[in-house]
C-alpha cells in the first residue's frame, strides 16, 4: 500500500480552520470541499489516459483524454458525501457509486447497510472518499468490497489519518493495489476511536448531529 501526505501551504491552512471547533457547519463544508479538490489533484496523478488526435484552430495535434472504462468515485455515506463535489469537480466524467457503512461505537467494527454501484468493476480505477482514516476498519471493509467486484486500482482520499488506521490497512490490504492520499497523519486515536488532535466527527460537523 502506498500513502501520500500532501504537503502544501494551502492544504495546511484549510486543515487548520477545519480543526478549529469554532468553525461553523457551512464554513466547514466549504473548506472540506476546497481541501478535497486539492487532495484530488494529487490523487489523480496516475489516472489512466489514452492518446487522441484533435484539430486545433491552427493545426492537427495529439493530446490525451481519460480512458475507458471511466474512473469511479465512491463516497462512504454519510460524511463522504461532503467530499463528492470537490472530487467530481476534477473528474466530471467519472461515474459515482455509493457505499453506506456504519461503525459500531462499542466494537468499532464497520458493517455495510447500503450499496449502489456496479457488480462488475473489472479494470476500473476507483476513488473512495472518507474524511477520517481512524481505526481503519471502515476503509478496509470498503476496499475489500471494491476489489471483490474487480477494481484493480483503489485510491482512498481522507482529510485525516491516524497511525493505527494506516497500520491496519497496510496489514489487512498487503499486496492490494491501494493508495491513501491525506492531508495529515495525526498523533493517535483516543479511547473512543477519534483521531487526536483531529477535527471531531466529520459527519456531525458537516451536517449536524441529527440521526
Amino acid at each position: 500500500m502506498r500513502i501520500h501526505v500532501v504537503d502544501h501551504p494551502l492544504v495546511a491552512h484549510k486543515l487548520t480552520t477545519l480543526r478549529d471547533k469554532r468553525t461553523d457547519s457551512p464554513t466547514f463544508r466549504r473548506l472540506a470541499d476546497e481541501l478535497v479538490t486539492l487532495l484530488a489533484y494529487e490523487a489523480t496523478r496516475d489516472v489512466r489516459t489514452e492518446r487522441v488526435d484533435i484539430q486545433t484552430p491552427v493545426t492537427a495535434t495529439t493530446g490525451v483524454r481519460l480512458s475507458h472504462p471511466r474512473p469511479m468515485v465512491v463516497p462512504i455515506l454519510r460524511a463522504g458525501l461532503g467530499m463528492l463535489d470537490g472530487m467530481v469537480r476534477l473528474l466530471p466524467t467519472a461515474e459515482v457509486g455509493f457505499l453506506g457503512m456504519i461503525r459500531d461505537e462499542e466494537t468499532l467494527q464497520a458493517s455495510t447497510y447500503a450499496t449502489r454501484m456496479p457488480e462488475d468493476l473489472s479494470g476500473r480505477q476507483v476513488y473512495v472518499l472518507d474524511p477520517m482514516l481512524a481505526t481503519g476498519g471502515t476503509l478496509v471493509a470498503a476496499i475489500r468490497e471494491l476489489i471483490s467486484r474487480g477494481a484493480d486500482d483503489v485510491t482512498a482520499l481522507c482529510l485525516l489519518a491516524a497511525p493505527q488506521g494506516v497500520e491496519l490497512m497496510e496489514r489487512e490490504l498487503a499486496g492490494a493495489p491501494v493508495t491513501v492520499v491525506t492531508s495529515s497523519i495525526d498523533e493517535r486515536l483516543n479511547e473512543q476511536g477519534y483521531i487526536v488532535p483531529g477535527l471531531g466527527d466529520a459527519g456531525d460537523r458537516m451536517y449536524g448531529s441529527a440521526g
Side-chain angles (χ1 to χ4, degrees), residues 170-205:
E170 288 177 332
R171 182 171 66 251
E172 297 294 325
L173 299 171
V178 176
T179 301
V180 174
V181 177
T182 185
S183 58
S184 174
I185 300 178
D186 277 10
E187 296 173 10
R188 59 185 173 86
L189 294 179
N190 64 16
E191 294 77 9
Q192 291 75 42
Y194 284 95
I195 298 174
V196 178
L199 50 75
D201 186 298
D204 286 354
R205 296 198 65 191

Side-chain angles (χ1 to χ4, degrees), residues 3-207:
I3 184 156
H4 177 42
V5 179
V6 179
D7 182 15
H8 191 285
L10 288 179
V11 169
H13 167 75
K14 294 178 189 300
L15 179 58
T16 298
T17 307
L18 287 174
R19 291 187 190 276
D20 193 330
K21 67 179 183 180
R22 297 170 297 180
T23 300
D24 59 25
S25 289
T27 305
F28 190 97
R29 287 194 298 270
R30 176 178 58 80
L31 287 173
D33 177 81
E34 294 172 359
L35 180 54
V36 169
T37 299
L38 294 174
L39 297 180
Y41 182 80
E42 295 295 332
T44 54
R45 284 188 179 274
D46 295 324
V47 68
R48 293 169 187 162
T49 60
E50 59 189 18
R51 297 177 69 83
V52 57
D53 295 326
I54 62 169
Q55 184 75 38
T56 78
V58 179
T59 187
T61 189
T62 302
V64 299
R65 65 184 177 194
L66 295 184
S67 59
H68 290 275
R70 298 291 189 188
M72 172 162 283
V73 177
V74 179
I76 297 179
L77 306 178
R78 73 175 165 149
L81 281 177
M83 303 173 69
L84 181 58
D85 286 348
M87 185 70 192
V88 298
R89 185 173 295 115
L90 285 190
L91 282 177
T93 60
E95 294 184 16
V96 178
F98 297 94
L99 188 55
M101 307 195 77
I102 190 167
R103 187 180 72 164
D104 187 295
E105 295 302 326
E106 294 184 1
T107 66
L108 303 183
Q109 296 300 307
S111 59
T112 302
Y113 66 85
T115 58
R116 184 69 175 180
M117 55 188 175
E119 289 294 331
D120 184 6
L121 294 174
S122 299
R124 300 289 287 268
Q125 284 182 296
V126 181
Y127 296 90
V128 185
L129 310 180
D130 193 12
M132 302 288 101
L133 171 51
T135 63
T138 298
L139 267 179
V140 166
I143 291 171
R144 281 177 170 165
E145 175 67 23
L146 295 168
I147 291 174
S148 73
R149 295 180 183 227
D152 64 357
D153 188 311
V154 180
T155 299
L157 279 76
C158 306
L159 302 181
L160 291 179
Q164 294 93 326
V166 173
E167 291 168 6
L168 181 74
M169 289 188 67
E170 288 177 332
R171 182 171 66 251
E172 297 294 325
L173 299 171
V178 176
T179 301
V180 174
V181 177
T182 185
S183 58
S184 174
I185 300 178
D186 277 10
E187 296 173 10
R188 59 185 173 86
L189 294 179
N190 64 16
E191 294 77 9
Q192 291 75 42
Y194 284 95
I195 298 174
V196 178
L199 50 75
D201 186 298
D204 286 354
R205 296 198 65 191
M206 284 182 186
Y207 304 118

